[in-house]
Amino acid sequence: MIDYILVLDFGGQYAHLIVRRVRELGVYSELLSVDGTQLEVLKEAIRGARGVILSGGPSSVWEGKHDEIARIIIEEGKPALGICYGHQLLARVLGGVVDKARKPEFGPTIVSIKARDDPLFNGIIETIVVWMSHNDAVLEPPPGASILAVSQGSPVAAFKYGNIYGVQWHPEVVHTMFGLKLIDNWLKIVGVERSWKPEDMVGKLVDSIREAVGDGLAIAAVSGGVDSTTAALLAKRALGDRLIPVVIDHGLHPAGEPWGSVELLRKVGLDVKVVKADDRFFEALKGVVDPEEKRRVFGRVYAEVLEEVAEQHGAEYLVQGTIYPDVIESGGRPGSSIIKTHHNVAGLPRGFKLKLVEPLKWFYKDEVRRIASRIGVPKEIIRRQPIPGPALAVRIEGEVTREKVEVVRKADAIVREEIEAEGLQDRLWQYFAVLTASKATGVKGDRRAYGYVVAVRAVISVDAMTASIARLKWELLERIASRIVSEVPGVVRVVYDITSKPPATIEWE
Ligand code: GLN
């Protein structure tokens, strides 16, 4: 068992970022939702952890919902770090006073560190600007605890009680000065070794696939993207000929994919079979407008096709490239809001017959890329930008038709070509075109034209959990726009999406 830090999710918006930061610092970490997880499971996870971080959350601690969990952590003597709600919870259970804050604090807030000699603040200056978001506050520290920091609205902005720390602010968000440093310091206090390297997990992952499948047969659904290719290649190592890799041709792939990959995949030993099913997808998507419904319909047809392929081969397992953000964003965390139905996870219909094997379920994208390069996934695939399972279906607002797929595919190819011609592909997380549901007026060849509006999206990110827009040069944007309008029939206007994630998502649907 590897050393891990457990992050308990009390429904906080940023809980997943805590996990992310801890892993960045070289320690394995997992998120576990408190609401909806059995107490026994929570207890075991707490016992096994080297330390526990308690996230923020929407509740108020006097509702008493989570006292028992805090008590378990204290009784187990685990080093703990409470953040926001977690801070308030630990303070209250240890006997401190938490009530409505006299001055709620939202956004950038000045904190003054009172205990600069405490190892938690090693290398951190006295006055820092941090990110806060709270209505309640710790008004009095637990008896015997020391106050480490204060702010205008938080007389106890940080406290320490034995090996338990609490901070009212969010060290996990980038807007907090010395946030990563604080988490780094806490890990030092815990004394956990920085030995987590995703690529060292290859052996374990292969073993776990072998164990899961036993002497059965598995199919792997490969899209040509890095996640599914890596999952399939791991499974290939585990199962050899008992793995049947397939590419489902759903007719919604971007230009050149996945056909460009099939040869590459064969070169690395994945002898993929291409299953043509485009008619079925288009038929099923007819008249479907709602994005969630689209994902569901896509997921249903995809599942049917996979079940049929599996049946033909007598396989009962399905290897999928589900990754950690898919799990988190599909609402793998009751207590916080469901962002999207991901077809890899929640999108598979109830009653899906195949047993799932998801070796990459605990990894972020950049970690998957490291694993991929360890096992010899071709560079072209490792670098390939992510695309959601339903592919172009979610890049068309409104009903999906063959004609619209052609339009968005062509526009998308132009976006790629132009961005790649500038050599920007490695700096951008994703860049693509969306066919919007709007129509607009234009003039083509002196004639009034009424047609499609295409949106161009390009973002920068490390793991897709947050993203900022790419500040592309005007000249480049203009070139993209003029090529799309002149080369793609039916398009009269091009707009650039300048919204970051959050509040927007990267994909439009
Ligand atoms: N609900 C608590 C408050 O308003 C905690 C908020 C949080 O964790 N962000 O203070």
Side-chain angles (χ1 to χ4, degrees), residues 10 12-14 55-63 83-88 98-101 106 132-137 168 170:
F10 292 92
Q13 236 183 310
Y14 307 118
S55 83
S59 322
S60 284
V61 290
W62 51 83
E63 294 164 30
I83 293 175
C84 202
Y85 178 79
H87 159 76
Q88 298 164 0
V98 181
D99 208 335
K100 282 266 160 268
F106 300 103
M132 294 247 205
S133 179
H134 68 118
N135 288 302
D136 316 338
Q168 180 60 64
H170 288 276

Side-chain angles (χ1 to χ4, degrees), residues 3-81:
D3 283 348
Y4 67 92
I5 295 294
L6 178 68
V7 177
L8 289 179
D9 181 4
F10 292 92
Q13 236 183 310
Y14 307 118
H16 59 84
L17 284 179
I18 308 172
V19 175
R20 177 70 226 173
R21 299 290 169 254
V22 173
R23 290 210 201 162
E24 259 168 53
L25 291 163
V27 178
Y28 187 65
S29 176
E30 264 180 34
L31 188 65
L32 186 59
S33 176
V34 166
D35 300 318
T37 302
Q38 284 172 352
L39 199 62
E40 271 316 303
V41 176
L42 287 165
K43 251 190 208 165
E44 208 173 301
I46 291 168
R47 283 201 192 116
R50 291 294 309 275
V52 182
I53 301 182
L54 296 80
S55 83
S59 322
S60 284
V61 290
W62 51 83
E63 294 164 30
K65 283 206 269 188
H66 304 117
D67 292 4
E68 193 166 356
I69 291 153
R71 263 187 226 114
I72 293 168
I73 297 168
I74 296 163
E75 273 159 25
E76 290 288 325
K78 286 292 167 186
L81 174 65

Side-chain angles (χ1 to χ4, degrees), residues 290-421:
D290 177 69
E292 284 295 292
E293 183 61 17
K294 233 186 249 179
R295 284 180 181 254
R296 260 192 300 278
V297 169
F298 185 94
R300 176 172 53 74
V301 179
Y302 200 78
E304 284 166 15
V305 175
L306 287 173
E307 281 172 347
E308 287 165 21
V309 175
E311 205 178 316
Q312 283 160 20
H313 291 90
E316 26 166 353
Y317 295 88
L318 170 67
V319 178
Q320 283 211 118
T322 312
I323 67 171
Y324 204 35
D326 303 332
V327 178
I328 294 174
E329 296 202 341
S330 297
R333 39 195 303 245
S336 96
S337 62
I338 294 177
I339 301 175
K340 269 182 193 174
T341 313
H342 190 279
H343 96 280
N344 273 348
V345 193
L348 283 173
R350 264 172 227 280
F352 183 61
K353 291 194 205 109
L354 303 174
K355 292 180 204 130
L356 295 183
V357 179
E358 300 174 309
L360 302 172
K361 191 155 93 172
W362 304 110
F363 299 94
Y364 290 96
K365 192 96 181 181
D366 54 324
E367 296 175 331
V368 171
R369 288 187 166 130
R370 282 165 64 171
I371 293 170
S373 89
R374 174 69 62 94
I375 61 170
V377 174
K379 270 210 189 66
E380 297 91 313
I381 292 182
I382 294 180
R383 283 210 223 110
R384 188 164 287 170
Q385 39 171 337
I387 179 155
L392 298 181
V394 292
R395 298 215 177 136
I396 293 169
E397 282 193 298
E399 190 188 7
V400 176
T401 62
R402 283 190 191 267
E403 184 232 337
K404 287 188 195 164
V405 170
E406 248 346 276
V407 171
V408 75
R409 185 178 277 146
K410 282 199 181 118
D412 188 63
I414 292 170
V415 173
R416 290 180 187 222
E417 272 168 43
E418 289 299 330
I419 284 182
E420 285 160 21

